[in-house]
Amino acid sequence: MSTEAGIDVQRQLESLIQDFRTGDRPMPVIVLHAEDPADDDRVTELVDELREGQQRHGTRLAVAPTEPQPGDVDPLARATRLLWDLGDSRKWGGRSAAYRPYSFPRLNLVRALQEATDAPEMREHWPTAPAGTPDGNAQREQAQTHLLRILARQRWRPRRPSRWHRQLLLNDVQQFLPMGILGAFTALLTRPEWYVAALAGIGLMILLAGLNHVPGRAPLFLWLRRESRWFLTTTFLQSAARRRSTSVRLLRPVNSWRAIAARAYDVAEAMREGGPFPLQLYVLALFEDLRDNHRRGSWDLRGLKRTRPPVLFLRRISRENGGVELVRAVSDVRSRRSELDPLLIVAGVATGDAALLDRGTDAEPPDGRPQPPRWRLEQRLRHWYDEWAGNLRADQSPSRTNALPWVLRVPLPRDELVQLRQTEWRCVRARHRPPLARVVWSAYSLVLVLVLVGTAGVVHSLELHRAYCSAGLVSADRDTVRRPAPGGGTECVGIATGDVRFGAYLTGGADGDGRRMRELEDLVRAENADVLHHPGTYVTVVYAGPLSSSATDSSLVKGAEELAGVYLAQRVVNENYTVKLRVLLANAGVDMGQQRVAADAIARYADRDPTVVGVVGFGRDLQSSTYVTRRLHAVGLPIVSGTNSATYLPKRFSNWFSLAAPDEHQAEALGFVARQLRARQKEPYALVLARDTKDSQDRYTGEQAAYGGKMLLKERFRMLPEQRYRVANGKPELRQRAESICRAGNVPSVIYFAGRVEDIGPLMTQLGTEPGCADREISILTGDDLSKARFSGTGGRDGVAPRITLYHTALAELKEAASATAFYQEAAKYLPWLEGKDVTYDSTDFASGQTALSHDATRALYWAASLGDVRQSRAATWVNLRGVKLDGMATGTIDFTDAPLYGERRGHSIVIKRVRRTLRGTSETEVLCSRPAGSTRPLSVKECSIG
C-alpha cells in the first residue's frame, strides 16, 4: 500500500477477514471518502490498491462497473445494472479461485425473470383490463402462459453466450447424478456384472438429461431446484403471492408447478411496475446465493473451505451511477431480513456525496463523529467498527427511517492520504493457512479416496471371484467356494443356492458324464422353479455328492449316476404327491475330498431355510465322515446315504441312515466264497492288498482291509504279511507289490483287495504278466466299490487277467426287485436320454446300482418329511425315518422300522458277483447270490456256491 490510510484500512479488512474464519461476523458496507474534496481521486486510487491487495491474498472479489452508462436515467435502474453481471462466477475469480467458482442460481433466476418481463414480445400481452374482472382474469391467464413460454425458451436462465449455455447444461446434468447413482445401486441389488450396474446408472442420467433439455419446455424437476424452493418460500415475495399456494413436494409435481408459475407471474408484474422492488430482489438473491456458497453445514463443507468472505468493490459511487441507491438497497435488505451474509462491500465516494449515505437527500449531514485525540486511523477504524456493530440493534429500529445502519463511513484525513516514498510502501500480510476441511474434504482427497476405494474394491472383487464361485462387484454367493482340484484346475464346492452351476467347472476327462450332469442340473433347476410357485407346500432335500471332475479321478461317474436317481425321485414325487420336493445340490468335490466344506455350507444354509429336512448322499467313507455327520447332527439334519457302507457311523450317530450293507457285513458275505476256496487246497495262503491311505482322507479301504483280514483269519487261511501300495499322480504303484507277492516263496491263492475301482485294471495287468502269478489260479475278493466297474462283457473297458477270478460285493440287487417296482418305467418317462428306449434292470445306466440307491434314499427321506401327506418339520422328519417302510423301490423294500438306535440294522440289499475271463477274451459277470432290500434271511454257502 502506498499510503498510511491504505495500510490501516487494509489491516482493518484483514482483521474482519480473520474474524470471519472463526464465526459469523456482521460485514458492513465500508464507504471511504476524503475529508478534503481535493483528495477524492486519491480515495479512488486507494480503493484500487485495496482491490489489488485482496486479490493477491486470494479473496473472492468482484468490481461493479460504476462508470457512467448510457441509457438508464432512473437511479434505481442504474443500481440494478451494477448487479446485472454479478451472477457470472467469472466475475468472482472464476477458475483461479480456491475451491470451485461461486454459483448464483437465485440471482440468475431473478435476471431470467427480468429479461422475460422486459422481452419485446411480452409487451402486447400484459393485461389492460382491471384485475378481478372476467376480461382481466382472462388476459392475466394469457399473459402468464406467454411469460412461461418465454421462460421455457430461456430454460429459466438468463440469456448468455454459447459458452455459458454449455456450462449451464453441465450444471443441469449434475442434478441427475444422484439419480444415476441410485439407478446403479438399484441395479447392483440384483447382483449383475459391474458394467451392467454402471451402464444402468449412466443410461438413467442420459435419459433424464435428454428429457430435461427438450426444446421449448421447462427443465425437468424445476420445482426441486434450490432456487425454485427459495423463490417460493422467501417471505420477501409473499406480498406478491396474492394468496397463492407455495407447496413444493417431490410427489406433487403438478401442484408445485402451478405454484411456481403463479409466483413467477406475480413477481414479473411487480418488477414491471418498477420502484425499489426489483433492485432489492436482486440484492436479496445475491445475498442468499453468497450465504449458500459459504454455508458450513453443506455436503461439501464449502463454508469451512472458503475462509475469506467475498468482497464487492465500488470504485466511486454517486446518485448518477446508481451506487448510492445500491448501498441503500443493501442496507434496507439486511435490515429487513435480519440475517447475516458474508458479503463485505468496500466503496469510494466523493466527499460531497458522503452525506447521502447517512440520511435522506433532504436531511442535513450529521455532525462529525467524535474522535479521541491523537488516535491513529488504525485505532479509529477499530473503534468505529466496534461502535457500528454495537449500534446495529438501535440503527435498525423502524423509527429511524432515514438511517443506513449497515453503512460504516470512514473519513480519511489528508495527511493519511499522502503517498509515501516507494521504499516505505508496505504489504499487509494475510495470515492464511489451508483449513483442515480443504485438506481432508476436498476434490484431491476425494480422488485419493476414490482411488483407494476403487483399488480396494477391485482387489476385494478379485478376491471374491477367486474365493467364491459366484461373485459380483461388491458381494458374493458365499454358499459355494473355489478350491484347487486334484491334478490341477479349480473346482466349485458347497451348496448351490444361487446361480451356480457345478457343471460349468467340469474339467479333465468328464465329457460324457459332464454333459449328463449339466443336463441333470438344468432339469433339477427347472423342477425347483415349479416347486417354488407353491410356497408352504414343499420340503427341501439336499443331495451331497462328487459333482466335480479331474483328469486323475473318475468320481464324476458316481455323482452323475446318483444325481439321476435323485432327480427321478423328485419328478415322481412332484407328479404324484401334494407335498412337493425341492432338491438343492451340494458338491463335495472330486472323490468327496471336500465334504467337510460341503457339510459346513449345508449347515449354514439350513440355519436360514427351515424347509430343509435332510440330506441324501455323502456316499463315501472318509476320515472326515465323522465330522460331517456330527456337523449336520448339530443342526438337526438326518442323512440318508445310498452307498456309504461305513460300519461305525450308525453305531455312533442317531441321524445316520444308510441303504448300503456295512463293510463288516460285506466281508461276512464274502466269507462264504472264501470258505469254498479254502476247501480246495490243503494249506492255502492269503493276504490283504490295501491302498495306502496314510496321506489321504480315505477310510473305506482301511475298513475293508481290517474286516477282510479278520474274515480270512476266521476262515483259517494262512495269512501272509499285509501289502500296501501307494498312489502317485492318480496312478497306483503296483509293480513292486506284484513282484513281492508273485516272487515270494508262498504265493497266495486268495487276495483280499482293499482298494478302489480305478486300481483294479493296473492290478490285473501286473498279476497277469508277473512270473509266479501268471500261471496260477488266483482269486481276488473285494468290496462294493468294484460295482462301479464296467467290464468288457457289458461294453466297458475293465477286465480281469486270464487265470484270475474276481469276487466282489455290490449294494443293489436289482433283478429280484425289478418285477415289483415301477422304477424303470418312471426312468424311461422322466429321464430324457432314456426316452423311447427299452429300460431294464441290466441296462448300462443302472448296472452299478448308484442311480437306484440314490433314488430309494431320496424317496425314503421324502416319505418321512411328508408323513400323512402333510409337510413335516426337520425334527419330525428325523423321528419319522425310524418308521419308514417302502415297498416297490428299485432295490426292494426300504425298511428302517427295525433299525436299533446306535446299532446296526439288517435287511440291506447285497449281491455277490463273480467276474471271469471267457474264451473270447472278454470278462463275464455273473451273480452268485443276492438278497433284495428288506430281506433279513442270511446268505449261505449253498446259495453262494462257486461250483
Side-chain angles (χ1 to χ4, degrees):
M1 304 300 294
S2 62
T3 61
E4 290 289 349
I7 296 172
D8 293 338
V9 173
Q10 185 75 302
R11 283 176 178 166
Q12 181 62 30
L13 292 181
E14 286 300 319
S15 176
L16 291 175
I17 290 171
Q18 294 303 319
D19 291 340
F20 179 79
R21 292 172 180 266
T22 58
D24 294 325
R25 297 295 301 273
M27 292 295 171
V29 179
I30 299 178
V31 178
L32 306 175
H33 66 91
E35 292 183 351
D36 189 342
D39 296 327
D40 287 346
D41 292 338
R42 293 185 179 180
V43 172
T44 302
E45 294 173 359
L46 186 147
V47 172
D48 291 337
E49 288 185 357
L50 291 174
R51 176 184 59 79
E52 293 176 1
Q54 288 301 316
Q55 196 167 13
R56 293 192 188 97
H57 293 169
T59 303
R60 299 283 186 99
L61 55 88
V63 179
T66 55
E67 294 77 9
Q69 299 291 332
D72 295 322
V73 178
D74 183 10
L76 291 174
R78 291 177 177 176
T80 304
R81 184 69 63 176
L82 295 178
L83 300 176
W84 195 257
D85 291 326
L86 293 185
D88 186 346
S89 60
R90 294 174 298 178
K91 300 293 183 180
W92 297 85
R95 297 183 180 275
S96 62
Y99 184 68
R100 292 170 47 190
Y102 282 152
S103 61
F104 297 92
R106 299 165 185 83
L107 188 59
N108 285 323
L109 176 61
V110 173
R111 179 171 173 181
L113 192 57
Q114 178 78 64
E115 291 179 349
T117 303
D118 297 340
E121 58 185 294
M122 190 65 196
R123 294 173 186 171
E124 59 185 28
H125 292 281
W126 291 111
T128 56
T133 64
D135 291 340
N137 292 337
Q139 292 178 5
R140 181 183 176 88
E141 290 180 2
Q142 293 177 359
Q144 177 176 321
T145 301
H146 198 75
L147 178 70
L148 295 177
R149 188 178 298 117
I150 297 174
L151 286 171
R153 285 203 303 266
Q154 296 179 198
R155 313 289 309 153
W156 287 69
R157 299 287 191 184
R159 298 187 184 95
R160 297 291 175 89
S162 58
R163 176 181 176 185
W164 270 96
H165 284 304
R166 290 194 298 269
Q167 183 174 349
L168 293 176
L169 172 64
L170 181 60
N171 291 336
D172 283 344
V173 171
Q174 287 176 353
Q175 66 180 323
F176 304 127
L177 180 60
M179 295 188 180
I181 296 175
L182 178 62
F185 178 75
T186 304
L188 275 177
L189 295 180
T190 63
R191 292 183 60 238
E193 297 294 337
W194 67 269
Y195 57 84
V196 176
L199 289 176
I202 295 173
L204 180 60
M205 287 182 59
I206 294 175
L207 175 62
L208 293 177
L211 295 175
N212 184 68
H213 289 84
V214 174
R217 297 185 62 88
L220 200 63
F221 303 141
L222 173 66
W223 73 95
L224 297 180
R225 287 180 173 178
R226 51 183 172 172
E227 62 268 29
S228 299
R229 293 196 300 269
W230 165 80
F231 192 58
L232 285 176
T233 56
T234 178
T235 58
F236 189 85
L237 299 178
Q238 282 293 341
S239 60
R242 301 183 183 179
R243 299 182 181 179
R244 298 279 185 171
S245 171
T246 59
S247 174
V248 180
R249 298 181 184 179
L250 174 63
L251 301 180
R252 301 186 66 181
V254 176
N255 291 344
S256 302
W257 168 251
R258 289 174 180 171
I260 292 177
R263 175 59 59 86
Y265 182 76
D266 289 335
V267 172
E269 279 193 330
M271 296 178 75
R272 180 169 171 260
E273 294 173 0
F277 173 75
L279 175 60
Q280 292 188 5
L281 183 57
Y282 269 95
V283 173
L284 175 65
L286 175 65
F287 287 167
E288 291 295 330
D289 283 330
L290 290 175
R291 287 180 66 238
D292 187 52
N293 280 303
H294 283 268
R295 188 159 52 90
R296 288 184 171 88
S298 59
W299 68 270
D300 57 350
L301 304 181
R302 51 184 175 269
L304 297 176
K305 299 174 186 178
R306 293 166 174 161
T307 56
R308 300 180 71 84
V311 182
L312 175 62
F313 285 95
L314 303 169
R315 297 181 71 246
R316 174 73 66 86
I317 61 174
S318 65
R319 298 200 65 179
E320 289 75 16
N321 60 21
V324 172
E325 296 299 332
L326 174 59
V327 172
R328 288 177 177 273
V330 167
S331 185
D332 291 344
V333 170
R334 282 178 170 174
S335 297
R336 179 175 175 180
R337 296 291 292 169
S338 298
E339 293 177 347
L340 294 176
D341 61 81
L343 182 62
L344 176 61
I345 300 178
V346 178
V349 65
T351 305
D353 293 334
L356 300 175
L357 300 173
D358 276 338
R359 296 198 179 276
T361 55
D362 296 333
E364 294 294 332
D367 296 334
R369 185 184 287 106
Q371 302 173 6
R374 295 184 302 279
W375 273 14
R376 285 178 48 83
L377 178 60
E378 179 184 2
Q379 297 170 309
R380 295 199 301 271
L381 284 170
R382 189 178 305 113
H383 172 74
W384 288 341
Y385 176 79
D386 293 340
E387 181 185 20
W388 168 82
N391 291 335
L392 271 180
R393 290 168 293 184
D395 284 345
Q396 291 188 66
S397 300
S399 60
R400 304 196 59 177
T401 55
N402 289 326
L404 298 180
W406 288 89
V407 175
L408 176 60
R409 268 180 47 192
V410 179
L412 302 176
R414 183 165 196 173
D415 57 343
E416 299 273 356
L417 291 172
V418 176
Q419 188 171 17
L420 301 173
R421 289 180 299 179
Q422 192 167 2
T423 56
E424 297 178 352
W425 290 10
R426 278 176 288 174
C427 177
V428 178
R429 293 186 176 274
R431 291 181 297 168
H432 180 68
R433 182 180 59 188
L436 182 63
R438 182 178 296 177
V439 176
V440 175
W441 193 266
S442 65
Y444 301 105
S445 61
L446 177 62
V447 171
L448 178 61
V449 169
L450 289 178
V451 170
L452 293 177
V453 170
T455 303
V458 170
V459 172
H460 179 63
S461 179
L462 293 176
E463 289 295 328
L464 290 178
H465 281 80
R466 279 195 291 264
Y468 300 101
C469 305
S470 176
L473 184 62
V474 295
S475 63
D477 180 356
R478 298 177 184 268
D479 291 324
T480 50
V481 295
R482 294 173 180 260
R483 289 290 187 270
T490 301
E491 59 181 347
C492 180
V493 296
I495 180 171
T497 58
D499 57 355
V500 175
R501 296 291 187 274
F502 294 125
Y505 291 84
L506 297 180
T507 58
D511 292 342
D513 294 310
R515 286 193 299 270
R516 177 68 52 82
M517 202 196 85
R518 282 189 285 268
E519 182 179 7
L520 285 168
E521 272 194 297
D522 293 336
L523 291 172
V524 170
R525 296 278 179 169
E527 194 68 19
N528 287 343
D530 291 338
V531 168
L532 292 176
H533 291 309
H534 305 84
T537 62
Y538 69 87
V539 293
T540 301
V541 168
V542 180
Y543 164 69
L547 300 179
S548 294
S549 67
S550 73
T552 60
D553 196 280
S554 60
S555 64
L556 182 61
V557 175
K558 174 182 175 65
E561 291 185 351
E562 286 187 339
L563 183 54
V566 174
Y567 168 70
L568 180 57
Q570 182 186 27
R571 281 300 305 271
V572 172
V573 165
N574 291 340
E575 289 287 341
N576 298 282
Y577 294 91
T578 303
V579 179
K580 304 303 178 183
L581 178 61
R582 173 173 170 246
V583 175
L584 294 180
L585 307 184
N587 182 21
V590 172
D591 216 10
M592 301 296 290
Q594 299 289 343
Q595 67 174 9
R596 183 188 293 259
V597 178
D600 288 336
I602 294 171
R604 287 193 299 269
Y605 179 76
D607 283 337
R608 63 180 191 266
D609 187 353
T611 68
V612 178
V613 294
V615 179
V616 172
F618 288 112
R620 187 183 173 204
D621 186 19
L622 301 175
Q623 298 294 340
S624 57
S625 294
T626 301
Y627 172 85
V628 168
T629 313
R630 183 183 296 112
R631 182 73 174 92
L632 297 180
H633 183 284
V635 293
L637 287 176
I639 303 173
V640 182
S641 178
T643 59
N644 193 326
S645 58
T647 303
Y648 64 94
L649 286 175
K651 296 179 180 180
R652 296 177 59 181
F653 299 99
S654 60
N655 67 323
W656 180 264
F657 302 83
S658 179
L659 306 188
D663 296 327
E664 187 175 9
H665 292 188
Q666 294 182 42
E668 290 176 358
L670 288 173
F672 298 123
V673 175
R675 190 175 307 167
Q676 298 175 65
L677 295 173
R678 168 72 179 79
R680 293 181 176 183
Q681 298 183 18
K682 184 177 180 180
E683 292 182 351
Y685 289 89
L687 67 76
V688 175
L689 177 62
R691 185 187 252 204
D692 187 357
T693 59
K694 181 179 179 181
D695 297 328
S696 71
Q697 298 185 48
D698 183 43
R699 189 167 181 170
Y700 166 80
T701 54
E703 296 280 312
Q704 285 281 337
Y707 291 122
K710 182 179 178 182
M711 179 270 294
L712 292 175
L713 282 174
K714 181 180 178 181
E715 298 299 334
R716 294 178 298 144
F717 279 86
R718 300 183 67 178
M719 298 300 296
L720 298 172
E722 181 179 304
Q723 299 279 344
R724 289 194 173 258
Y725 64 92
R726 295 176 61 251
V727 177
N729 299 320
K731 301 298 182 181
E733 296 179 346
L734 287 165
R735 182 170 182 174
Q736 293 182 352
R737 301 282 78 81
E739 290 176 355
S740 175
I741 293 171
C742 298
R743 297 181 183 181
N746 299 310
V747 178
S749 61
V750 174
I751 298 175
Y752 194 96
F753 177 65
R756 302 299 305 277
V757 64
E758 55 265 27
D759 302 339
I760 196 66
L763 176 63
M764 292 295 176
T765 300
Q766 298 295 334
L767 295 180
T769 58
E770 188 65 38
C773 291
D775 56 350
R776 293 176 63 91
E777 295 286 342
I778 297 177
S779 297
I780 296 178
L781 308 180
T782 186
D784 64 87
D785 199 61
L786 265 293
S787 62
K788 294 184 289 186
R790 295 179 180 178
F791 293 103
S792 55
T794 57
R797 295 183 178 180
D798 297 319
V800 293
R803 301 178 65 86
I804 294 178
T805 304
L806 174 67
Y807 299 90
H808 72 88
T809 58
L811 301 177
E813 166 45 62
L814 302 180
K815 182 178 180 180
E816 291 188 31
S819 61
T821 183
F823 172 77
Y824 302 102
Q825 291 84 351
E826 291 165 346
K829 180 180 179 181
Y830 297 120
L831 298 179
W833 58 89
L834 297 179
E835 185 177 357
K837 295 183 179 180
D838 184 18
V839 181
T840 59
Y841 69 90
D842 55 355
S843 298
T844 304
D845 294 282
F846 304 117
S848 67
Q850 306 281 336
T851 301
L853 288 166
S854 63
H855 167 272
D856 290 359
T858 306
R859 293 289 298 272
L861 182 56
Y862 171 78
W863 186 94
S866 61
L867 185 64
D869 210 17
V870 176
R871 188 180 68 166
Q872 304 290 306
S873 67
R874 187 179 303 167
T877 300
W878 187 344
V879 173
N880 294 340
L881 276 169
R882 298 285 171 184
V884 168
K885 186 174 183 179
L886 291 175
D887 292 322
M889 293 293 101
T891 59
T893 299
I894 308 303
D895 187 0
F896 292 154
T897 57
D898 64 343
L901 193 63
Y902 300 109
E904 295 180 6
R905 73 178 182 91
R906 296 290 176 175
H908 300 94
S909 173
I910 190 169
V911 181
I912 298 179
K913 294 183 178 182
R914 176 170 61 187
V915 186
R916 291 185 293 186
R917 176 72 71 91
T918 67
L919 296 176
R920 298 175 57 188
T922 60
S923 298
E924 182 182 58
T925 302
E926 60 179 317
V927 176
L928 292 181
C929 53
S930 64
R931 288 285 184 271
S935 174
T936 57
R937 185 168 58 89
L939 295 171
S940 64
V941 173
K942 183 177 180 180
E943 279 186 285
C944 301
S945 173
I946 61 176

